[in-house]
Amino acid sequence: MRSFFAVAVSVALLIATSALAAPPVSAKKIPWAFKPLTAKAPPTVANTTWPSDDLDRFILADQESAGLKPNADADRTTLLRRLTFDLTGLPPTEQQLVSFLGDKSSEPVAVARVVDALLASPQFGERWARHWLDVVRYADSVGRTYNPPFTYAWRYRDYVIDAFNRDTPYDRFITEQLAGDLLPYKTVEERRRNLTATGMLALGSHDLQGGDQSQFEMDCVDDQIDVTSRAMLGLTIACARCHDHKYDPISTRDYYALAGIFYSSRIRAGVSYRGAGNGYVDHDKLIVLPVAQGSRTITPTLVPGVHSTNDFNAIWSTGRRDIRYTTDPNLCVGVEDDEIADCEICIKGDPHDRAPAPPRGDLRIPNLAKPAKIPSKSSGRLELARWIATPTHPLTARVVTNRVWQHLFGSPLASTPDDFGATSEGPTHPELLDHLAVRLTKNGWSIKQLIRAIVLSRTYRLSADTASNAAAKSDPDNRLYWRANLRRLEFEPLRDAMLAASGKLSLDPPTGIQVAGIGGKSNKTSVAGLLDVDDACRTIYLPVVRSRLPESYGTFDFPDPCQIAGRRDVTTVAPQALFFMNGSLATDCADRTIDQLLNETLADDSARVRLLYRRLLGRNATADEVRSAGQMLTKLTSSIPERWSTLAQALMCSAEFRYVR
């Protein structure tokens, strides 16, 4: 009986386990985003005078089908503040406000003039680079159990800023980051830029002190697969490391076909596993320009060479500020081809239990074309990059278009920007997403042109008012975009706005090394940023030290730099109010703002109140606000500068300062 019972239990368990197992890859549902990109003609709408762009017709058609009407347009003051924060991450200046309000041109012409100026400003790249850095888990130190600095990570950050300002075509942008070292070049500057771009693949958070080198190597490959697939394709390919993907049609074999590409590349980040020096990419030693000889041009060659930098103790002892004029102009973090080899399948993810390796790049994902065959002596990163950057690839343009829409409206068309797989909800406006994605590719993958089209649309210019529109009851979540979304600013524009109002903000980027130290275990590390929240530079230039972020970053939902974060959390917690009420940055900025204000030659206190409102809130104060401010200043018993500082700090505490309407 016992034997029979044991067999019966075993069979029952086997059946139950089989029922829970993932279905075969071929039987899985093909995700919506795997379908070919299709650009349908914009729909016909009843209110033909309202749209200013084809994208408006897609939005309005859905509203009309639901019996809704869009809000009225936002006033110019509100729209200007929205535009300056969205495009540059900074509040409008007094000159911008006066100029825009005084522009007698038609609304579309006046708005276009403002938009073009903002897109052309250096601050545009600083704003939009931060969005990308969130996605590619940028940081200036390793994190984990041992936390040494990525001393030259800032060069990658600056590369991203420059790429957005140049309006580098998006297909070129991602190709440079995956395979910049393998691209042809004409100038030394172009070669340096290409090499620096590959820093994306080198800045992962790894356990440098683990006891298993094989595990470490496969973890590095996994990080590179994860950041590439989620950032550029919206796919969680890393889920197939130990078994076929449970939901998407991606097999473990596909994972290791992709892994072979990165397995054949070496990270050059100045830090390495258990102290074995791996140095940096060295611009000076790697660059050899082609030399023309008659009618023939010699193919550029690469001379191997890296710098090993184990002198952090000596550097650190020189002091925080002196450590910067030590910068080697030839060094950056990045990757380069290493010993070329396919990657054997690690059974159940175990690097010590292997199965035969699939050919590098031999991806067999249903509905997706296969990458080009990889040459035997190449890692395959260039072939992978070209496959991802193909205009007809169904995922690439959709993913980046969705990200752009999210940053301009506060909510993406597809709610999971890093995951376009089978479990995602799909976009609220699929035809609009495809329309914009196809437009992006046809316009030469220009991100600036995509942004320009969206912010000049009627949909973007709507008021955020909810009281005067019946749509607030039937569509309270604004899924049909009948109004603008009220959006809280992230920490970076909040801090920059405070510094700008105080006159302290410097628009000059810092130069040289910005983080240093000797590493250390866990949080007890001597690595530190050489700039901090009290410095005058824009927040994007403050070093992001893993495990050592300033408390204010977490207060305003700065993402974990060890993780890919295509969409930041937005929380409302008590420390946010305390940050403005008694934080040293807020009080210092309020005092500096008032120091400037009281030195202005103005008619009276009412004029000072109006100027203070323009500097902090980007608009003129109403008559009631001027009266209330005057009453507040009269009732306070502190010194005159302290009274005014209290008023300035109160405005910083307001929701209007923290939010964009």
Side-chain angles (χ1 to χ4, degrees):
M1 281 293 287
R2 260 184 277 178
S3 176
F4 174 81
F5 180 75
V7 171
V9 170
S10 298
V11 171
L13 287 173
L14 180 61
I15 293 173
T17 304
S18 299
L20 294 173
V25 171
S26 59
K28 292 178 182 176
K29 176 184 176 183
I30 302 298
W32 61 269
F34 284 47
K35 298 176 181 177
L37 273 172
T38 55
K40 294 186 178 179
T44 302
V45 295
N47 186 358
T48 57
T49 62
W50 186 82
S52 64
D53 186 275
D54 281 344
L55 79 85
D56 293 322
R57 295 178 175 84
F58 287 97
I59 292 292
L60 184 60
D62 284 346
Q63 292 175 7
E64 290 179 343
S65 296
L68 305 182
K69 292 183 178 180
N71 265 2
D73 291 353
D75 61 77
R76 283 197 177 188
T77 301
T78 300
L79 182 59
L80 180 64
R81 190 168 187 269
R82 186 187 302 169
L83 283 167
T84 58
F85 273 114
D86 279 351
L87 299 188
T88 67
L90 292 171
T93 64
E94 294 172 64
Q95 183 178 356
Q96 287 172 324
L97 181 62
V98 170
S99 177
F100 188 42
L101 293 181
D103 193 332
K104 303 301 182 183
S105 306
S106 65
E107 194 74 358
V109 172
V111 174
R113 188 174 289 123
V114 170
V115 168
D116 289 339
L118 294 173
L119 288 173
S121 74
Q123 287 69 55
F124 168 79
E126 292 168 338
R127 173 58 163 161
W128 281 80
R130 184 63 255 180
H131 299 321
W132 182 255
L133 296 179
D134 280 4
V135 173
V136 296
R137 45 69 177 123
Y138 173 83
D140 292 273
S141 74
V142 178
R144 300 271 184 156
T145 56
Y146 189 74
N147 192 19
F150 287 131
T151 310
Y152 290 96
W154 57 273
R155 284 215 165 96
Y156 171 74
R157 177 203 65 202
D158 290 357
Y159 155 81
V160 176
I161 293 172
D162 181 64
F164 276 100
N165 279 330
R166 287 171 174 268
D167 197 22
T168 300
Y170 183 71
D171 58 342
R172 173 74 185 193
F173 180 59
I174 58 180
T175 300
E176 287 175 354
Q177 291 175 82
L178 289 173
D181 58 310
L182 303 175
L183 291 173
Y185 56 93
K186 296 180 179 179
T187 65
V188 171
E189 180 187 10
E190 182 182 10
R191 179 61 173 164
R192 288 176 181 269
R193 188 165 58 246
N194 292 347
L195 291 172
T196 303
T198 63
M200 183 200 77
L201 296 173
L203 295 175
S205 177
H206 304 302
D207 182 1
L208 300 179
Q209 296 291 298
D212 189 330
Q213 184 164 357
S214 295
Q215 185 72 46
F216 171 79
E217 291 172 351
M218 292 311 302
D219 286 347
C220 290
V221 167
D222 187 69
D223 170 76
Q224 293 170 324
I225 289 174
D226 196 35
V227 71
T228 299
S229 64
R230 290 171 64 191
M232 300 175 184
L233 299 173
L235 293 181
T236 54
I237 293 180
C239 291
R241 180 179 183 178
C242 304
H243 49 70
D244 289 348
H245 200 294
K246 287 192 173 183
Y247 307 107
D248 297 342
I250 301 167
S251 68
T252 300
R253 184 193 179 283
D254 291 320
Y255 176 94
Y256 286 94
L258 186 56
I261 293 173
F262 299 111
Y263 196 66
S264 299
S265 306
R266 173 173 293 189
I267 293 174
R268 297 291 199 187
V271 298
S272 59
Y273 179 71
R274 300 186 70 80
N278 70 357
Y280 297 94
V281 172
D282 186 332
H283 292 162
D284 184 53
K285 291 190 177 182
L286 287 177
I287 298 174
V288 178
L289 290 173
V291 179
Q293 292 187 346
S295 60
R296 184 173 59 87
T297 298
I298 298 176
T299 303
T301 58
L302 299 184
V303 180
V306 296
H307 280 241
S308 180
T309 55
N310 294 319
D311 57 351
F312 287 128
N313 276 310
I315 293 176
W316 187 254
S317 65
T318 64
R320 292 179 71 242
R321 300 297 172 179
D322 295 337
I323 199 171
R324 296 184 211 172
Y325 297 107
T326 62
T327 304
D328 187 325
N330 296 316
L331 303 185
C332 68
V333 297
V335 298
E336 59 188 16
D337 274 5
D338 194 23
E339 182 179 344
I340 305 302
D342 294 330
C343 184
E344 294 177 322
I345 293 174
C346 298
I347 299 173
K348 295 183 179 180
D350 183 353
H352 303 290
D353 189 5
R354 304 270 187 148
R360 295 186 311 289
D362 187 24
L363 299 175
R364 300 179 181 181
I365 303 175
N367 275 40
L368 299 185
K370 293 177 63 174
K373 185 175 177 59
I374 297 173
S376 60
K377 296 184 179 180
S378 170
S379 64
R381 281 185 289 116
L382 184 56
E383 288 73 20
L384 174 65
R386 288 173 173 164
W387 175 70
I388 293 175
T390 303
T392 56
H393 198 296
L395 290 161
T396 311
R398 280 183 177 132
V399 168
V400 70
T401 299
N402 190 58
R403 296 193 192 282
V404 170
W405 183 276
Q406 169 191 319
H407 295 309
L408 294 173
F409 286 94
S411 61
L413 292 169
S415 61
T416 51
D418 302 327
D419 185 2
F420 275 29
T423 59
S424 65
E425 286 186 10
T428 55
H429 298 71
E431 293 181 351
L432 171 59
L433 179 59
D434 276 17
H435 168 82
L436 292 174
V438 171
R439 181 190 290 196
L440 172 67
T441 61
K442 288 186 175 179
N443 285 343
W445 293 91
S446 168
I447 297 296
K448 279 192 177 182
Q449 286 302 311
L450 177 62
I451 292 171
R452 186 180 191 275
I454 293 175
V455 299
L456 292 181
S457 72
R458 198 73 184 271
T459 304
Y460 178 85
R461 302 199 324 251
L462 294 177
S463 161
D465 179 38
T466 59
S468 61
N469 197 322
K473 292 184 178 180
S474 58
D475 183 25
D477 295 330
N478 195 32
R479 290 174 65 85
L480 297 181
Y481 295 97
W482 54 269
R483 62 172 172 85
N485 287 315
L486 186 67
R487 293 174 282 144
R488 198 201 71 201
L489 291 169
E490 310 99 303
F491 175 70
E492 295 93 327
L494 281 173
R495 176 184 175 275
D496 291 352
M498 294 164 69
L499 292 175
S502 73
K504 183 180 178 181
L505 181 67
S506 170
L507 295 181
D508 295 327
T511 58
I513 293 175
Q514 293 149 32
V515 64
I518 56 173
K521 293 186 176 180
S522 191
N523 292 335
K524 297 179 180 179
T525 170
S526 56
V527 64
L530 305 182
L531 300 168
D532 56 39
V533 292
D534 293 326
D535 277 275
C537 64
R538 293 200 68 182
T539 311
I540 190 172
Y541 294 112
L542 299 184
V544 177
V545 179
R546 288 177 174 137
S547 303
R548 291 288 299 274
L549 288 177
E551 184 178 357
S552 53
Y553 278 52
T555 298
F556 290 96
D557 306 302
F558 189 88
D560 180 351
C562 294
Q563 304 295 325
I564 295 165
R567 189 177 188 182
R568 291 191 182 186
D569 293 332
V570 179
T571 62
T572 302
V573 293
Q576 293 168 359
L578 297 176
F579 172 85
F580 288 105
M581 291 173 65
N582 55 26
S584 60
L585 179 64
T587 54
D588 178 65
C589 287
D591 290 345
R592 287 174 176 268
T593 300
I594 296 308
D595 286 344
Q596 290 191 105
L597 186 72
L598 295 181
N599 284 324
E600 298 276 356
T601 303
L602 298 170
D604 52 25
D605 283 352
S606 295
R608 289 190 178 88
V609 170
R610 287 191 287 270
L611 180 56
L612 185 62
Y613 266 75
R614 288 197 297 273
R615 288 184 176 174
L616 287 175
L617 302 182
R619 65 172 177 83
N620 290 313
T622 65
D624 285 343
E625 288 168 335
V626 173
R627 189 181 310 110
S628 297
Q631 293 171 350
M632 172 184 171
L633 292 168
T634 302
K635 289 179 180 179
L636 293 173
T637 59
S638 52
S639 68
I640 290 177
E642 288 174 337
R643 297 179 196 183
W644 282 94
S645 290
T646 300
L647 176 59
Q649 204 163 347
L651 293 180
M652 289 181 186
C653 288
S654 68
E656 189 173 353
F657 183 81
R658 292 178 284 118
Y659 283 80
V660 167
R661 296 182 61 83

